[in-house]
């Protein structure tokens, strides 16, 4: 395993129990011997499910399966493995997914369409599915616990250097419910609709159609707002399960309105937390970078400019070197193709104003900016000067620097 | 200076004289002391000019100047410096360009609008233009020679590790004419309409409007088909000058037809040659990669897919590591967002068929592919299976691998 990211949190958070969910993991030899690589979650009957997936046109077999299964709105179990993405594996890949679903459906006495499947790892190598199907009964019968979060988060890691989890409590019309999630991802991260793997669970009772709206909304400002290397996976999957087994609360009928206000806010927090953890574990990352763009023509335009900055290899290597080379930010704004007023462009790094009137400020002192660049948490703010005030499009995205570590990991590791 | 690229040609080619062109260089202290950093070319009166420039919305002052000057269709001198891009320098930047143009116009007894200017180097730092204006008279009077190509090519280098030049002779209706060009560029290279700096000269007599069409056409398959790091410069400039001082040939009235057939072919060769040299000098490059996509919905779609592969950090790091990790090519096709038939995707590396029917071929042997990956010249061919045969969109692009060298150069160097 690679050395733990310097941006990693001290420890895996203590996640609360979510009524109706048990979860666990096993080592079945897909990734490496004696490394946990299979996770299973059981959801009580009646659990609603929502999902968002990669937009890749070469999506993996499990992604195609989940997309189709989502139409049933119900989930009984979630099976995820690391070490093999079961992507670009042809008809055999789909057959593997079906065998896994059938095996799990038998264990949980449900339709195979209530089994959701995710795989991450090497693309293009056949998956030895019998390793999964043989291990499922033991894991289902003896390996599932209400507090198995960390084991599960560990089992879905690939080049990740730490397991990722987050939780919040929320109130729905006065009743307290719980939201907990786990995620993985550290390379091939520039989600387009979704990210690698993230599974979020709640004991609230929320219909699948409403859950889907909440998930899509929360996804926009979290997993869709991060990038490590601009590469979009074939396997990006975010699933959200609502068991309805927690405190009884007022019936939820729609996504809007007051009832879900707090729940939506807390869901956003959980997903942003997980998304940040993915960036903090970006391959080779040594710095966590927040890019905020304001004053754009639209919100979408602001997002595109922010991503252009966050994906620029020259910006990311300058930050890796602790170099306050803001000229590369100008370049990245320019290459985005989005509207920007060069002569009103305002750039701040670490909160310090650098430019004004289309050039460096008079008497600009690089010293405090250089000090900020030496830190672990880098802030870049750009106002592109197209629309001022609250009318201006605004977006924040998060990324990490591009270092020798990224090259070492990816020139050697077969992922 | 960085170590010479392992992909560099043995030596600078011997470029022929182009009647009507004299060229030279000087060291004026913009880049480093005693490093050549200013080039000047004098074109005989009446020389036609064409140009393509960066699409960046934060284009540099010299790019804006050239765009405007191009409307006059005539060039009398070309002034280019390295070490400072004069980009994002506000009104002072434009004033610097005007002072340079005025100084050169005085020397060559022409309108300032016949002086073309290009700058490359650091973004956002004021250019000490007096270094240029003071040096121009000496350079103009004593420094220009018909064979000064290599000196000029050297003066426009930044992180380049070798000077770049190419030439061909062509016939126009039986008469022989000459085409010669120089170029620079090694980082911030993902041209969008044009690349960093390339200057092409011919002694043929071609009206500026026709020259512009020829340049745009040749640019599509050369500078627009290369990428080093997906970053588009604020300063990309390709200029073409036709002196009309060579062999007298049949009058050229349009870009199409038989008369310019050979000239167009040879111009394309010169520009592809220069474009390849830029890739071979890509920052940190150790391998030259040709990506060809066929079977796409359109030519543009093929180009977008090829660029998605050529810009993928994961594909480029795999190649750096000599890893035949073709799964990442599948990923890059998928993330392009362009139409592709996953189950008919055919990938070849080094000419060896790898996939068939949406998965690895039966009995696929990695050994010969692995051998190919150890070489300096890597070939990737992808048929995306949307349209078969000659109806299928087709495009070729060129790139280099992504190595520790790129990180070292860009985490330290302020460009």
């Amino acid at each position: 395993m690679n050395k733990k990211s310097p941006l990693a949190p001290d420890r895996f958070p203590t996640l609360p129990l979510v009524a109706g969910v048990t979860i666990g993991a096993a080592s079945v030899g897909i990734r490496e011997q004696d490394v946990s690589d299979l996770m299973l979650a059981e959801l009580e009957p009646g659990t609603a499910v929502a999902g968002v997936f990669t937009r890749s046109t070469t999506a993996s077999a499990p992604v195609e399966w989940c997309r189709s299964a989502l139409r049933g709105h119900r989930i009984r179990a979630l099976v995820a493995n690391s070490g093999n993405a079961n992507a670009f594996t042809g008809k055999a890949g789909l057959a593997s997914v079906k065998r896994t679903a059938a095996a799990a459906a038998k264990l949980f006495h449900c339709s195979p369409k209530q089994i959701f499947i995710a795989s991450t790892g090497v693309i293009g190598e056949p998956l030895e599915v019998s390793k999964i199907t043989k291990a499922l009964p033991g894991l289902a019968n003896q390996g599932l616990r209400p507090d198995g979060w960390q084991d599960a988060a560990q089992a879905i890691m690939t080049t990740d250097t730490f397991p990722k989890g987050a939780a919040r409590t929320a109130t729905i019309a006065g009743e307290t419910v719980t939201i907990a999630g786990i995620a993985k991802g550290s390379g091939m991260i520039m989600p387009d609709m979704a990210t690698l793997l993230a599974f979020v669970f709640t004991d609230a009772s929320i219909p699948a159609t409403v859950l889907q709206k909440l998930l899509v909304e929360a996804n926009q400002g979290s997993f869709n707002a991060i990038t490590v290397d601009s590469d979009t996976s074939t396997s990006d999957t975010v699933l959200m399960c609502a068991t309805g087994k927690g405190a009884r609360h007022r019936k939820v009928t729609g996504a809007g309105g007051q009832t879900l206000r707090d729940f939506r806010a807390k869901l956003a927090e959980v997903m942003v937390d997980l998304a940040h953890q993915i960036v903090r574990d970006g391959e080779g990352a040594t710095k966590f970078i927040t890019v905020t763009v304001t004053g754009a023509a639209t919100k979408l335009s602001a997002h595109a400019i922010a991503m252009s900055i966050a994906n620029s290899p020259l910006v990311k290597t300058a930050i890796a070197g602790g170099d306050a080379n803001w000229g590369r930010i100008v370049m990245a704004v320019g290459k985005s193709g989005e509207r920007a007023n060069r002569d009103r462009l305002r750039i701040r790094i670490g909160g310090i104003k650098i430019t004004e009137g289309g050039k460096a400020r008079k008497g600009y002192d690089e010293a405090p900016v250089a000090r900020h660049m030496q830190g672990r948490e880098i802030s870049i703010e750009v106002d592109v000067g197209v629309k001022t005030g609250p009318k201006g499009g605004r977006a924040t995205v998060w990324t990490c620097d591009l270092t020798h570590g990224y090259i070492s990991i990816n020139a050697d590791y077969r992922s």
Side-chain angles (χ1 to χ4, degrees), chain A:
Chain A
M1 201 173 88
N2 295 301
K3 204 166 144 262
K4 195 170 174 186
S5 166
L7 306 174
D10 292 339
R11 51 177 190 77
F12 190 80
T14 306
L15 299 193
L17 311 190
V18 177
V21 183
T22 54
I23 192 165
S27 170
V28 304
I30 297 173
R31 201 171 151 210
E32 296 159 41
Q33 290 304 324
D34 303 322
V35 166
S36 164
D37 52 7
L38 179 69
M39 73 147 264
L40 175 65
E42 180 184 356
L43 295 310
E44 285 200 18
T47 297
V49 65
V52 284
F53 305 95
T54 182
R55 276 191 193 149
S56 169
T57 55
T58 55
S60 68
V63 164
E64 294 203 328
W65 174 266
C66 287
R67 268 207 192 98
S68 157
L70 208 57
R71 290 196 287 266
H73 298 314
R74 288 283 174 271
I75 183 170
R76 186 74 176 84
L78 166 61
V79 184
N81 72 277
S82 59
N84 187 315
N86 193 14
F88 209 72
T89 41
K91 282 177 193 143
L94 183 59
S96 294
V97 171
K98 285 183 177 167
R99 280 182 58 193
T100 303
K106 200 174 153 196
L107 289 169
F108 296 111
H109 312 289
C110 66
S111 152
K113 288 285 173 188
Q114 292 196 30
I115 308 299
F116 283 70
I117 296 169
S119 298
T120 175
V122 188
I123 296 171
E125 285 187 10
L127 173 67
E128 277 188 71
V129 72
S130 61
K131 288 181 174 175
I132 295 177
T133 52
K134 276 183 197 158
L136 279 177
L139 187 53
N141 292 327
Q142 291 159 18
L144 302 182
R145 300 197 322 265
D147 62 351
W149 301 115
Q150 185 166 353
D151 290 348
Q154 233 139 12
I156 55 176
M157 287 166 56
T158 53
T159 53
D160 301 61
T161 71
F162 62 88
K164 299 164 186 72
R168 297 289 187 282
T169 53
T171 55
I172 298 181
E175 295 296 331
T176 299
V177 299
T178 300
I179 309 170
I182 57 173
K184 70 83 50 192
S186 68
M188 213 179 274
I189 299 283
M190 152 93 177
D192 191 7
M193 278 307 277
T195 188
L196 285 195
L197 303 186
F199 308 128
V200 182
F201 306 87
T202 179
D203 54 6
S205 175
I206 299 177
T209 49
V210 175
L211 202 64
Q212 184 69 26
K213 282 183 194 158
L214 299 178
L215 182 64
V216 167
E217 178 192 76
N219 190 55
Q220 270 317 103
S222 57
F223 297 114
N224 264 6
I226 61 170
T227 179
V228 167
D229 57 8
S230 82
D231 274 342
T232 304
S233 166
T234 53
S235 310
D236 292 342
T237 298
V238 180
L239 291 175
M240 177 155 188
C241 310
T243 65
K245 302 298 177 196
R248 291 199 59 163
H249 54 73
R250 187 192 298 161
K251 194 173 179 189
V252 169
T253 52
Q258 197 59 36
T259 311
L260 288 181
R261 193 192 178 99
D262 187 58
F263 186 89
R264 288 162 72 177
K266 299 299 165 55
L267 175 61
E269 285 183 27
V270 168
M271 286 179 60
V272 166
D273 191 336
L274 291 173
H276 283 192
Q277 290 184 52
I278 288 176
V279 170
R280 286 180 188 279
D281 205 8
E283 288 173 344
T286 68
K287 291 167 197 271
F288 180 85
I289 307 165
T290 302
V291 180
T292 299
V293 170
T294 53
T298 62
K299 192 179 157 69
L300 268 179
S301 175
H303 182 84
I305 295 167
M307 275 292 179
S308 180
I309 298 168
N311 277 323
S312 162
L314 288 170
V315 170
K316 292 157 82 92
T317 47
I319 293 173
D323 180 6
N325 192 336
W326 55 269
R328 292 181 180 175
I329 298 172
V330 175
M331 176 281 298
V333 171
K335 82 161 183 169
S336 72
E338 297 294 324
R339 278 180 63 199
N341 186 331
R342 185 192 62 189
D343 298 331
R344 294 179 63 188
L345 202 62
R346 279 178 302 182
I347 297 176
R348 288 173 196 239
I349 297 178
I352 300 149
K353 287 184 198 168
I354 296 180
T355 69
E356 168 173 275
K359 59 178 179 18
R361 296 183 76 198
K362 230 173 183 165
Y364 161 60
D365 175 15
E366 193 172 289
V369 178
R371 274 195 299 278
H372 176 77
M373 296 294 287
Q374 296 304 316
R376 289 270 185 226
E377 312 278 322
I378 306 297
S379 146
I380 296 174
E381 295 161 88
V382 178
D383 189 293
V384 297
V386 174
K387 281 191 186 169
T388 53
K391 278 188 179 173
R394 181 193 175 90
T396 296
V397 308
W398 300 279
T399 189
C400 54
D401 54 344
L402 174 57
T403 68
H404 286 290
Y406 183 85
I407 307 289
S408 295
I409 293 166
N410 285 301
D412 307 334
Y413 176 78
R414 170 158 300 194
S415 73

